[in-house]
Amino acid sequence: MEGRVFIIGLGLIGGSLALGIKRQHKEAFIAGFDINAEQCRLARMLGVIDEAEDSIEEGAAKADLILLAAPVKVTADILARLGRMQLKKGVIISDAGSTKAEVVKSAAGLKEKGIIFIGGHPMAGSHKSGVIAAKEILFENAFYLLTPEPHVKEKDIMALKEWLAGTKAKFIQVSPEEHDYLTGIISHFPHIIAASLVHQAEKESRSHELVPRLAAGGFRDITRIASSSPEMWRDILLANKEVLLKLLGSWQAEMERVAVMLANQSSEDIQQYFAGAKQFRDDLPQKQKGAIPAFYDLFVDVPDYPGVISEITGYLAKAEISITNIRILETREEIYGVLVISFQTEEDRDRAAACIHHYTAYETSAGP
């Protein structure tokens, strides 16, 4: 497709959207804006965008497609500004935020002027941030939720999908309300639980000094999403308040159910509780991306001698395999230590296992 694309917010998401569009539409011209001038400079230098605009107004006035990749509250403010501007006839505007009902309400001014707004949410991410971390394959095989209102024409939805075809994402259309409920269940609420588990461990560590040391392994893995941006999650929770209050009520009832089983020493009920959870989890899709980015860990048994870690990472660097995280488990005291290396994709993890096959390695992959 020919045309001018304007991306507001040149971080990981905005940069990856730009690269996805470039991948499919070589003839498109991509301009960008970010409040951080350094991100604009890097985006231009890396070829993520063709031109950096000095203001939102300047970039939006010339665009055929406007994509907002900013925090939810900022997105709402920008949509209000766009509603007061003179934009090109037929321009399509979309966003990439984690909540939709509030964002769609903020686009009311666009609707009144006959400007097309289609809410969007590419459900993929990374522990890295900034345009330097952007990848054209970030959204490949990930779900990309679109939340068009009933008045939006099918041809405009199809046009947006065509613009975004290079992301190779799986598009699903839902209402803004359904989007917020679904993401509340499988993304927003788990982040609250992860943060609460960390808070509980922190409180217990004041009287049990071994807690931080023992939490360095599995506990740290299952709560890793608690390390996400506090500012971002503040905005997401406030934007999806009603859904999350309902889910918190259900969670409290669920925990009360467990408390009753424990108090009554209901052995069979407790076993069935875990069996039911195991069955549902085991039946979940294993090879597709979901709302929370998966992690792919490789556990490597390594002998204790100087330079062994740099030796292993050297093999991976030579094979051009990117590592997202690396750490040593401190809970084992045998002759062999355990090195945990994390990768962004299953393919990278499998290549790494083959690369360092002379060490004993075993794999895991799961949500954070």
Side-chain angles (χ1 to χ4, degrees):
M1 294 176 72
E2 293 184 3
R4 189 179 182 98
V5 180
F6 181 44
I7 297 181
I8 304 172
L10 297 172
L12 170 72
I13 302 300
S16 297
L17 287 171
L19 290 173
I21 292 172
K22 278 179 171 286
R23 181 191 206 179
Q24 184 79 9
H25 307 292
K26 308 293 185 184
E27 65 278 19
F29 186 91
I30 301 182
F33 172 83
D34 195 286
I35 194 170
N36 185 336
E38 178 64 10
Q39 290 299 300
C40 290
R41 187 188 71 81
L42 286 172
R44 182 71 182 87
M45 182 186 73
L46 295 169
V48 174
I49 60 174
D50 300 307
E51 179 180 87
E53 299 284 7
D54 293 327
S55 69
I56 291 176
E57 285 77 7
E58 185 176 328
K62 300 173 285 187
D64 299 292
L65 172 67
I66 301 173
L67 296 177
L68 283 66
V72 174
K73 287 192 69 175
V74 176
T75 293
D77 293 339
I78 294 173
L79 286 171
R81 287 173 63 181
L82 291 173
R84 297 190 292 269
M85 296 179 200
Q86 190 65 40
L87 303 178
K88 287 179 70 173
K89 185 177 180 180
V91 63
I92 296 175
I93 302 175
S94 187
D95 76 312
S98 298
T99 61
K100 290 274 80 76
E102 185 175 291
V103 167
V104 170
K105 288 179 184 176
S106 301
L110 298 171
K111 180 180 177 181
E112 291 170 2
K113 293 179 66 175
I115 298 171
I116 304 155
F117 175 77
I118 302 171
H121 181 195
M123 302 182 78
S126 168
H127 71 292
K128 297 180 181 180
S129 61
V131 71
I132 198 168
K135 293 184 177 182
E136 68 174 26
I137 63 168
L138 182 65
F139 309 117
E140 194 166 314
N141 295 319
F143 290 115
Y144 200 128
L145 300 188
L146 298 177
T147 62
E149 291 187 274
H151 71 275
V152 177
K153 296 177 181 177
E154 184 64 26
K155 69 177 182 65
D156 295 321
I157 299 171
M158 294 305 297
L160 177 59
K161 289 181 180 180
E162 178 59 27
W163 272 117
L164 299 172
T167 64
K168 298 192 181 299
K170 300 175 181 177
F171 295 102
I172 298 178
Q173 289 178 221
V174 295
S175 70
E177 294 74 21
E178 180 73 359
H179 169 279
D180 288 355
Y181 195 77
L182 291 171
T183 54
I185 294 170
I186 45 83
S187 177
H188 306 167
F189 187 67
H191 277 81
I192 297 175
I193 299 305
S196 70
L197 291 173
V198 173
H199 276 293
Q200 184 176 29
E202 188 274 330
K203 288 176 184 176
E204 295 299 330
S205 71
R206 300 171 194 173
S207 55
H208 300 277
E209 61 182 21
L210 279 176
V211 167
R213 186 176 181 186
L214 296 179
F219 181 84
R220 192 173 188 276
D221 284 340
I222 65 173
T223 59
R224 67 169 61 189
I225 54 176
S227 292
S228 301
S229 165
E231 294 80 12
M232 178 182 75
W233 282 102
R234 174 200 63 201
D235 292 348
I236 289 174
L237 262 61
L238 290 174
N240 206 17
K241 179 183 71 173
E242 298 305 323
V243 168
L244 292 173
L245 285 173
K246 179 178 180 180
L247 291 172
L248 281 168
S250 298
W251 175 260
Q252 289 167 342
E254 187 73 11
M255 291 302 96
E256 181 60 31
R257 177 186 169 200
V258 175
V260 170
M261 287 190 290
L262 283 173
N264 295 336
Q265 299 188 67
S266 304
S267 175
E268 181 62 27
D269 290 342
I270 293 172
Q271 181 176 329
Q272 287 303 314
Y273 186 81
F274 282 100
K278 180 181 185 303
Q279 182 64 55
F280 183 80
R281 186 189 182 280
D282 289 350
D283 289 342
L284 295 175
Q286 296 185 38
K287 296 295 184 179
Q288 67 183 35
K289 295 182 180 180
I292 300 176
F295 61 87
Y296 300 92
D297 287 346
L298 190 65
F299 291 74
V300 186
D301 290 334
V302 291
D304 184 15
Y305 62 79
V308 65
I309 295 176
S310 60
E311 180 180 303
I312 292 173
T313 56
Y315 287 130
L316 300 178
K318 188 175 181 180
E320 298 183 343
I321 300 172
S322 178
I323 297 172
T324 63
N325 193 24
I326 186 169
R327 69 187 187 279
I328 302 171
L329 290 185
E330 299 178 345
T331 54
R332 302 190 184 191
E333 298 181 354
E334 299 92 351
I335 295 175
Y336 276 72
V338 180
L339 189 66
V340 186
I341 311 173
S342 301
F343 304 89
Q344 188 166 337
T345 68
E346 184 177 20
E347 180 185 3
D348 283 347
R349 185 196 60 191
D350 293 345
R351 288 176 57 216
C355 181
I356 54 175
H357 62 87
H358 44 288
Y359 296 94
T360 301
Y362 39 103
E363 307 170 350
T364 65
S365 62

